[in-house]
Amino acid sequence: MERNNKGQFIKGGIKGFKDYTGIQKNQLTFIEFSHIYASPSGNRRPYWKVRCTCGNETVKSAYDVYSGHTKSCGCLHKTNTSKARKKHGEADTRLYYIWENMKKRCYNPKSDRYENYGARGIKVCDEWLEDYSNFSEWAHASGYEKHLTIERKDLNQNYCPENCTWITHKEQAQNRSTNKWVIIDGKKYSPIELEELYKIPVKTIYARIARGDTGENVVRPLGKRQFKKR
């Protein structure tokens, strides 16, 4: 493939992307360009075939490798996980499961949640990514309990101590950007709150909202017709 004087490809369907051939970062060496991943939001990310010092070859995001977020083919993680199991003894706990899944949705394109995290550029800070013990220490110092789940204060920023907190599943559901809000007597309610207050199935509430109902019509008793204001 032809390149310009900045080392960028100018042919082959990847115009403007840097040529990383032969560059080594941590345990990975760039071998050849693989493909472009285009996210639903329109972002384009180049993926490269890389060779790990362990001998394994795989395909990784060029950005993740070059920035240092991805340091190996996965063997380093397996080694660290093995050490972590011996070091902290929490490998089978709920908190460890939260840590593992936080990383998966940020770095594993095969995760069903990757599109809303890793593909959007959401990362895990190096302090947590490289050592579970650091994450565990922060979690327990920040009020972690078994009924709580991790939440980012700014949904467009990374997982890191200053941007994360522990909340209930109910609070997390209320914070979703896709949530539908209903105003009744000047107060804003989420569908989950209305289900609890009015004992109406949340799917019925969502259906009414989708149909165009607003205010008290959303929580009218089942079987009653929509109230029309004069």
Side-chain angles (χ1 to χ4, degrees), residues 27 71-72 74-88 96 99-100 103 129-133:
Q27 293 185 203
K71 294 180 170 60
S72 73
C75 63
L76 184 60
H77 169 67
K78 291 178 181 178
T79 299
N80 288 341
T81 298
S82 179
K83 291 180 179 179
R85 289 176 182 273
K86 297 177 181 178
K87 181 179 179 180
H88 56 67
Y96 190 85
W99 180 67
E100 284 282 3
K103 294 188 298 175
L129 184 65
E130 297 174 2
D131 193 336
Y132 166 76
S133 296

Side-chain angles (χ1 to χ4, degrees), residues 117-167:
Y117 291 85
R120 291 180 53 231
I122 304 301
K123 306 296 180 184
V124 179
C125 69
D126 291 342
E127 179 184 353
W128 290 355
L129 184 65
E130 297 174 2
D131 193 336
Y132 166 76
S133 296
N134 291 333
F135 175 73
S136 176
E137 183 178 345
W138 167 83
H140 290 294
S142 301
Y144 168 73
E145 295 181 18
K146 290 185 178 181
H147 69 284
L148 300 177
T149 183
I150 193 167
E151 174 80 338
R152 285 167 297 133
K153 299 173 185 176
D154 184 338
L155 300 182
N156 293 314
Q157 298 301 319
N158 299 332
Y159 284 100
C160 56
E162 57 270 22
N163 191 44
C164 288
T165 187
W166 296 101
I167 63 175

Side-chain angles (χ1 to χ4, degrees), residues 25-211:
K25 288 290 182 178
N26 296 297
Q27 293 185 203
L28 299 173
T29 299
F30 290 91
I31 302 175
E32 62 182 12
F33 170 77
S34 173
H35 66 281
I36 292 290
Y37 170 78
S39 70
S41 61
N43 293 324
R44 299 171 70 243
R45 288 180 176 270
Y47 277 70
W48 278 67
K49 183 178 181 181
V50 294
R51 180 181 295 114
C52 185
T53 53
C54 73
N56 186 38
E57 293 185 359
T58 186
V59 174
K60 298 288 185 180
S61 160
Y63 172 82
D64 288 345
V65 174
Y66 198 78
S67 65
H69 286 297
T70 298
K71 294 180 170 60
S72 73
C73 66
C75 63
L76 184 60
H77 169 67
K78 291 178 181 178
T79 299
N80 288 341
T81 298
S82 179
K83 291 180 179 179
R85 289 176 182 273
K86 297 177 181 178
K87 181 179 179 180
H88 56 67
E90 296 184 12
D92 297 320
T93 64
R94 178 175 180 270
L95 185 60
Y96 190 85
Y97 176 80
I98 290 174
W99 180 67
E100 284 282 3
N101 279 279
M102 176 176 64
K103 294 188 298 175
K104 285 180 182 179
R105 55 181 173 264
C106 289
Y107 299 107
N108 187 354
K110 294 182 179 180
S111 169
D112 59 0
R113 304 183 70 187
Y114 180 79
E115 182 178 309
N116 294 321
Y117 291 85
R120 291 180 53 231
I122 304 301
K123 306 296 180 184
V124 179
C125 69
D126 291 342
E127 179 184 353
W128 290 355
L129 184 65
E130 297 174 2
D131 193 336
Y132 166 76
S133 296
N134 291 333
F135 175 73
S136 176
E137 183 178 345
W138 167 83
H140 290 294
S142 301
Y144 168 73
E145 295 181 18
K146 290 185 178 181
H147 69 284
L148 300 177
T149 183
I150 193 167
E151 174 80 338
R152 285 167 297 133
K153 299 173 185 176
D154 184 338
L155 300 182
N156 293 314
Q157 298 301 319
N158 299 332
Y159 284 100
C160 56
E162 57 270 22
N163 191 44
C164 288
T165 187
W166 296 101
I167 63 175
T168 64
H169 286 286
K170 178 180 177 180
E171 290 172 320
Q172 189 176 57
Q174 293 172 359
N175 290 341
R176 289 175 183 165
S177 60
T178 56
N179 213 354
K180 306 293 184 181
W181 298 99
V182 179
I183 307 297
I184 299 177
D185 293 331
K187 186 175 180 180
K188 185 169 69 172
Y189 297 91
S190 71
I192 290 180
E193 288 177 309
L194 294 176
E195 178 185 45
E196 185 174 321
L197 289 171
Y198 292 90
K199 310 305 178 185
I200 297 175
V202 71
K203 64 179 181 180
T204 299
I205 293 173
Y206 273 114
R208 290 176 175 178
I209 294 173
R211 194 165 54 221

